[in-house]
Amino acid sequence: MVDPSGRGVRGTADTGTDRGVAGQPGVIGIALAAVLAAALAQGSWQWFATYIGVTLLVVVFSLYRLPRWTPGLRSGYVPNLVAFSLVVGLCVAIALAPMMQRWAWLFPMPGSRDSCPLLGAYESVRTEAALGDLAGRDGAALTRAQEVHGQAAVADCLSATTTLWLPVYAAGAAVLVGLGAWAVDHSRARRGGGVS
């Protein structure tokens, strides 16, 4: 039976053995889906990654409920909170990856993006050298091929750089979510008279 307070099915909260809601292993499946989405992101991060990340976040927030807050690191609440926070952080990072790749204000790490335009220019020159015989026949096709290859090289470079920093964003989101959930649950337990 689901508790009308929205906190899920409860066991005996006082014993610290409450492990949360029925179906909690679903969070493991969500985490695996997020990891799979990251592993299958070939080349540059595309907007479908944002869709996947947002979808997984909706699933987490819709189906997963933390158990009742109980004091102590050995309580069932703490590992559930850690798992919940890490999975949410992972989903947030996947959702943000395409934006980080495209928007410098969201990913302002100094020196991390500087080499990517140079790599694009190099790939454009390399394409011209490989397809040089096309210049006499179809200069427009050669120019277009240079643009496509240069843009792909820049996107791949930005994707690789973004991926290196994704764990930082994921960890930051996990810490914020964990602290926020803990504060809300602790406050709710205190108002309910369960904590002195």
Side-chain angles (χ1 to χ4, degrees), residues 7-196:
R7 301 305 297 159
V9 175
R10 308 214 185 263
T12 52
D14 295 335
T15 65
T17 58
D18 179 13
R19 299 302 289 181
V21 187
Q24 296 295 13
V27 80
I28 297 171
I30 294 167
L32 292 176
V35 170
L36 183 62
L40 293 178
Q42 298 287 329
S44 65
W45 284 95
Q46 301 300 327
W47 291 110
F48 191 56
T50 299
Y51 177 80
I52 292 170
V54 170
T55 301
L56 293 174
L57 283 171
V58 170
V59 171
V60 169
F61 288 123
S62 298
L63 301 180
Y64 189 83
R65 298 289 181 264
L66 288 169
R68 184 187 313 250
W69 185 89
T70 51
L73 293 176
R74 292 188 172 185
S75 71
Y77 178 80
V78 173
N80 275 281
L81 176 65
V82 170
F84 175 77
S85 301
L86 290 174
V87 170
V88 169
L90 181 61
C91 294
V92 166
I94 289 173
L96 286 180
M99 297 172 226
M100 289 171 59
Q101 181 177 324
R102 289 160 177 81
W103 302 337
W105 63 267
L106 185 61
F107 182 53
M109 308 311 178
S112 59
R113 308 171 69 97
D114 298 344
S115 62
C116 293
L118 297 174
L119 188 61
Y122 167 75
E123 189 61 32
S124 178
V125 170
R126 202 169 76 127
T127 301
E128 182 181 14
L131 302 175
D133 60 332
L134 213 76
R137 290 189 258 166
D138 193 345
L142 176 61
T143 301
R144 181 63 185 145
Q146 286 179 280
E147 289 174 3
V148 168
H149 284 272
Q151 290 170 358
V154 170
D156 287 344
C157 175
L158 289 172
S159 173
T161 305
T162 301
T163 303
L164 290 175
W165 285 92
L166 277 181
V168 175
Y169 282 73
V175 168
L176 291 175
V177 168
L179 290 175
W182 182 88
V184 168
D185 290 344
H186 183 259
S187 173
R188 185 176 292 148
R190 179 171 286 187
R191 281 197 312 269
V195 176
S196 59

